[in-house]
Amino acid sequence: MPKTAAPDRAGTAGGGPPLRWRLVPWAVLGLWIAVVGLVAPFGAQLSDVQSDDQVEYLPEEAESTRVARIQQQLPGGDTTDLIIVYQRPGGLTGEDRRAAGQRVAAIAEAYDTSGEAPAEGIPSEDGTTELYQLSLAGLTGEDAEENAVRDVRDRVREGLPEGLTAQVGGPGAFGADASEVFGTIDTRLLIATVCVVAVLLILTYRSPLLWLLPLISVGIAAMTAMAAVYGLVRAFDLTVSTQNSSIMTVLIFGAGTDYALLLVARYREELRVRALPHEAMLAALRGAGPALLASSGTVAAGLLCLLAADLNASSGLGPVGAVGILCALAAMTTLLPALLVLLGRWIFWPRIPRLGSEGGQDSGIFARLGGSVSRRPVAVLTGGVLVMGALALGTLNLPGPLKDADFFTDPPESVQAAETVQDAFPGRSAQPVTVLSATDRTGQVLERIGATEGVEEARPGRGDKQWTEISVFADSPPESAEERETIRVLREELSEFGDQALVGGPSAQAVDLDATNAADRVVVIPLVLIAVWVILVALLRGLVAPTVLLAGVVASWGAALGLGGLFFGPVFGFDGMDGWIPLLTFVFGVALGVDYGIFLMTRMREEALAGASTREAALVALRRTGGVIASAGIVLAATFSVLMSLPLVVMVELGFVVAVGVLLDTFLVRTYLVTSAAWLLRDRMWWPGRLSRRGTDA
C-alpha cells in the first residue's frame, strides 16, 4: 500500500488534517485543564456553604416562616428543644424515676437552659413511661447542636437500672439526626452515581477505554458546576441545601451522559463516511448540536421556572440545576469532542468504525417496532393512550401529606422517641404549636388560646420587649388531621390581633408547606409548559410537532405519578408523600422526558428536509436513533434511581417517579405514541412550517 494512503493513528489518510485542526483539540483540552485547576479548590468548598436549616426549606412568605425567623432573634433563639423519654414496659419503679430525674438535672447543670429549671417528669397513665422536656440554649452552629444531642443521649443512658430504656427526641434531636443523614448524602450519592454510570457505559460501548471519556467529561462538568454554584452562594447569598446539590449531581451525570451517548453515536456514524476524525466530529456536532442545545435548553428553562415558586427549596433548586445542566452541555460539546478527536478511531476498539463500513442501523428491534407502528398506527396510538390513562388513575391512591415521623426510610432515635410518646400519651402532643404574641398583648392572646377548641394547654415561654413565645399543646397527635384543624381554628381565633399574634411551629410549617406547594404548582407548571413549548417551536419550526411531544411527556408524567400511587404505600410502605414531589417530578419529567422526543424529532425533520416523506422519515429516525435513545433513557433512569438508595423518603419518591417517567418516555411515548402520531398526521406534523406544504404524503 502506498505510504500516502496509509491511515495514521487518528485514522486519517494523506498526511492528516491541516495544522489548525490539529491544534484546536489541544487548545480545548488545555483550556479545560486550566479550568479544572482553577475551579477544583472552590468546588470542594460547596459543602461548607450548604445550609440545611429548616427555615431554608420553608415558604418565603408563610406565617410559620415568619415565626421561625423571629424565634431566631429572641433571647435563646438558638435553643435546642429536646424531649427525654424513659420507659419500662412492666411499669417504672421508684428507682427508675429517681435515676431519670438525676440524669435530667445533671444535663441541665451541664448546659445553659436560659435560667429555666428542668421540667418535672410527666408520667403516663399506665405508669410505664415518663416524659421530660428540656431546652438547651447557647448552641451555635449545626456541629454544636449535633454534639450536644449525642452527649445528652450518652448521659441519659449512662448507668441506667437494668430494663429501663431512654430515648431523646424533640425538634432539636430531629434536626441533629437529619443533619447527620445529610452529612453522608453527598459522598454516598456521588460514589453510587459514578459506579452506575460507569457500568452502564461499559455495557453500552463494550469497549475497555471508550467509556472513560464520557465519565471523565461528566466528572469535570460536575466539579465545574460545584465551583460555579459556590461562586453564586458567595456573590449573591444564594441558599443551597444538601438536597438541591444532590439533585444537581444526579442531573449532571444523567443528562451529561445522555448528551455524550447521542454525540458519540452520531460521531461513530460519521466516521463511517468521513476519513478524518475532525471532519466526522464537525459533522456530528452539526447534526446533533441543535438537539443537544434544545435538550439542555428545555431542562434549564424548566428549572429556572422554579424561581417563581414561593417555597425556598423549590426556588433555590432552579439556578443550581440550571448551572449544572449548562456545565454538562459545555463539557460534552467541547471537552468530550476534543478527547475523541485526539484519540482517533482506535478508542472505539474492538468495534472500530471503519471508513465505508455499514453500521447496521436499519435493522434490529427498532426496525421491527417501526414496522408494527406502520401496520397498525391507529391501534398503537389508541392502545398507548389508554395504557397511559389507566396508569394515571393510580394518582387516586397517592398517600397523604408526609409527616416528620415518616421523613426517613430508617427512623432515627428522634422519630422513635416521638412514636413512644404518641403511644404512651395518646391524648397529648409532645410537639407544641408555637404562638408568637406581641409582649404587651400576651395576656389577651393566652386567654383566647385557652378558649380555643382542641387546645389542651398553653404556657408562655421566652421573649423580649417586643415578642413573647407561647407553647400551645393540642389534645391530638402531632401533624394529625385533628391537630391541623386545631391550627386552622387557632389562626382564625387569633386573626383579630393581626400581625401581633402569629402561629408557627413544626405542625404549622407542614400546613403552610402543603398550601404553598399547591399554590406553586398553579404558577410553575404553566410556566414550564410555555417555556418548553416555545423552545420546541423554535427548534422544529412548527406548532403541531411541539404540541405532540409536550402532550406525550405530560401523559408519561401522569402515568409515572400514578405508578407512584400504586407503589409508595402498598409496596414501599410509605405513609405519606412529600408535597414537593408533584411539582418537582413535573419539571423533571417534562424537561428531561422531552429530550428523547427532541432527539427523535430532529432526526425525523433532518430526514424530511433531505427529501423523505414524513412517514419514511419517522421510521428512519426511529431505526437510527432507537438504540442510542434507549441507552440514554436507561442511563438517565438508572441515575435517578440512585436517589432511591438514600435514607430519605422524599428522595426515594423523587427518584422513583422521575426514573419511571423517563422509561415511559423512552420506550412508550417516543417509540409508539410519537411515531404513530407522525405516521397518521403525515406532513401535517410540521404545520405550519414549509415541510407541511410540500405534499409528499398526499
Side-chain angles (χ1 to χ4, degrees), residues 253-263 595-596 599 631-633 635-636:
F253 274 85
T257 305
D258 274 8
Y259 302 157
L261 288 169
L262 184 69
L263 181 63
D595 284 1
Y596 306 115
F599 297 160
S631 298
V635 167
L636 186 60

Side-chain angles (χ1 to χ4, degrees), residues 101 152 168 268 284 351 353 364 384-385 394 404 412 416 453 455 464 476 479 501 503 520 551 566 611 638 666 671 679:
V152 168
V168 177
R268 186 198 294 268
R351 302 167 65 200
V385 171
D404 281 350
Q416 296 173 18
E453 183 180 355
V455 172
D464 56 19
S476 50
E479 297 186 77
V503 179
D520 284 348
L566 301 178
T666 304
T671 303
W679 184 272

Side-chain angles (χ1 to χ4, degrees), residues 40-359:
F42 299 104
Q45 297 180 56
L46 178 59
S47 60
D48 297 335
V49 296
Q50 289 174 181
S51 174
D52 291 308
D53 190 329
Q54 179 64 23
V55 175
E56 305 301 342
Y57 288 85
L58 298 178
E60 186 65 35
E61 303 299 328
E63 183 174 339
S64 59
T65 307
R66 294 177 60 193
V67 170
R69 296 195 188 283
I70 293 172
Q71 282 182 294
Q72 292 178 335
Q73 306 303 318
L74 292 177
D78 52 358
T79 295
T80 301
D81 296 321
L82 305 175
I83 59 171
I84 302 171
V85 187
Y86 286 94
Q87 188 175 59
R88 183 186 291 275
L92 294 171
T93 65
E95 181 186 3
D96 292 339
R97 292 189 172 88
R98 285 191 297 273
Q102 290 169 359
R103 282 156 180 76
V104 173
I107 293 169
E109 290 179 5
Y111 289 90
D112 178 10
T113 59
S114 299
E116 296 183 6
E120 294 291 329
I122 303 171
S124 62
E125 290 186 4
D126 61 6
T128 63
T129 309
E130 194 156 84
L131 168 69
Y132 291 84
Q133 295 173 319
L134 197 62
S135 295
L136 310 182
L139 302 175
T140 57
E142 292 179 2
D143 290 343
E145 184 173 274
E146 290 178 45
N147 292 334
V149 170
R150 279 195 291 267
D151 179 58
V152 168
R153 283 173 171 164
D154 290 339
R155 287 173 180 266
V156 299
R157 295 189 181 96
E158 186 177 3
L160 286 180
E162 186 176 354
L164 179 64
T165 62
Q167 295 173 316
V168 177
F174 183 85
D177 289 337
S179 295
E180 185 175 351
V181 170
F182 283 133
T184 65
I185 282 180
D186 284 343
T187 302
R188 288 178 57 180
L189 187 67
L190 183 60
I191 293 173
T193 303
V194 169
C195 291
V196 166
V197 171
V199 169
L200 291 174
L201 285 173
I202 291 171
L203 293 175
T204 299
Y205 289 135
R206 286 175 281 177
S207 168
L209 293 175
L210 179 59
W211 65 275
L212 280 170
L213 302 190
L215 194 61
I216 290 170
S217 300
V218 79
I220 290 175
M223 185 188 305
T224 305
M226 291 176 187
V229 172
Y230 175 80
L232 290 176
V233 172
R234 290 301 189 190
F236 301 103
D237 198 28
L238 179 72
T239 299
V240 179
S241 66
T242 302
Q243 279 189 182
N244 287 353
S245 66
S246 299
I247 293 171
M248 181 187 74
T249 300
V250 169
L251 267 176
I252 293 171
F253 274 85
T257 305
D258 274 8
Y259 302 157
L261 288 169
L262 184 69
L263 181 63
V264 172
R266 191 62 181 261
Y267 176 55
R268 186 198 294 268
E269 186 178 327
E270 297 294 340
L271 282 173
R272 293 191 170 97
V273 297
R274 288 173 170 79
L276 301 177
H278 81 272
E279 291 180 349
M281 181 56 71
L282 286 175
L285 287 170
R286 282 195 298 267
L292 294 178
L293 288 173
S295 172
S296 59
T298 57
V299 180
L303 287 166
L304 289 176
C305 289
L306 287 171
L307 288 170
D310 185 43
L311 186 64
N312 290 337
S314 297
S315 60
L317 178 59
V320 171
V323 165
I325 287 295
L326 295 178
C327 288
L329 176 69
M332 295 307 161
T333 54
T334 56
L335 176 59
L336 179 60
L339 292 173
L340 287 168
V341 170
L342 288 172
L343 293 172
R345 295 175 188 265
W346 73 269
I347 195 64
F348 289 92
W349 185 88
R351 302 167 65 200
I352 299 175
R354 305 291 183 183
L355 183 62
S357 64
E358 293 294 331

Side-chain angles (χ1 to χ4, degrees), residues 651-675:
M651 290 301 207
V652 176
E653 293 173 340
L654 175 64
F656 177 86
V657 175
V658 175
V660 169
V662 166
L663 293 176
L664 288 173
D665 282 319
T666 304
F667 295 103
L668 181 55
V669 172
R670 186 260 315 183
T671 303
Y672 289 108
L673 300 190
V674 173
T675 304

Side-chain angles (χ1 to χ4, degrees), residues 447-477:
E447 183 178 350
R448 182 58 57 86
I449 292 172
T452 300
E453 183 180 355
V455 172
E456 179 180 287
E457 178 188 359
R459 55 173 182 259
R462 58 198 171 98
D464 56 19
K465 293 181 180 180
Q466 185 176 1
W467 294 100
T468 296
E469 182 181 279
I470 301 172
S471 295
V472 180
F473 293 89
D475 59 7
S476 50

Side-chain angles (χ1 to χ4, degrees), residues 337-550:
L339 292 173
L340 287 168
V341 170
L342 288 172
L343 293 172
R345 295 175 188 265
W346 73 269
I347 195 64
F348 289 92
W349 185 88
R351 302 167 65 200
I352 299 175
R354 305 291 183 183
L355 183 62
S357 64
E358 293 294 331
Q361 297 161 329
D362 292 336
S363 61
I365 186 173
F366 290 99
R368 293 193 294 272
L369 292 176
S372 67
V373 170
S374 66
R375 288 190 298 271
R376 295 179 296 275
V378 174
V380 168
L381 182 60
T382 303
V385 171
L386 290 176
V387 167
M388 302 290 269
L391 292 176
L393 292 175
T395 56
L396 300 175
N397 194 48
L398 286 169
L402 185 69
K403 302 177 183 178
D404 281 350
D406 303 320
F407 188 73
F408 301 96
T409 57
D410 184 18
E413 183 176 336
S414 57
V415 173
Q416 296 173 18
E419 292 173 348
T420 299
V421 171
Q422 186 172 336
D423 292 340
F425 302 89
R428 176 188 180 88
S429 173
Q431 178 175 279
V433 175
T434 300
V435 174
L436 285 180
S437 167
T439 299
D440 59 356
R441 306 200 68 177
T442 300
Q444 296 170 287
V445 172
L446 273 171
E447 183 178 350
R448 182 58 57 86
I449 292 172
T452 300
E453 183 180 355
V455 172
E456 179 180 287
E457 178 188 359
R459 55 173 182 259
R462 58 198 171 98
D464 56 19
K465 293 181 180 180
Q466 185 176 1
W467 294 100
T468 296
E469 182 181 279
I470 301 172
S471 295
V472 180
F473 293 89
D475 59 7
S476 50
E479 297 186 77
S480 63
E482 294 79 9
E483 190 193 40
R484 285 172 176 253
E485 177 62 17
T486 299
I487 291 171
R488 187 193 66 77
V489 173
L490 190 60
R491 283 177 167 171
E492 187 177 298
E493 291 291 329
L494 298 178
S495 61
E496 70 174 75
F497 296 99
D499 288 343
Q500 293 184 308
L502 305 172
V503 179
S507 296
Q509 290 169 3
V511 171
D512 291 339
L513 278 170
D514 289 341
T516 302
N517 275 313
D520 284 348
R521 289 195 291 273
V522 173
V523 174
V524 175
I525 286 178
L527 287 177
V528 172
L529 290 173
I530 293 170
V532 172
W533 189 77
V534 167
I535 292 173
L536 292 175
V537 169
L539 174 69
L540 300 175
R541 314 293 175 83
L543 301 179
V544 175
T547 303
V548 169
L549 290 183
L550 205 53

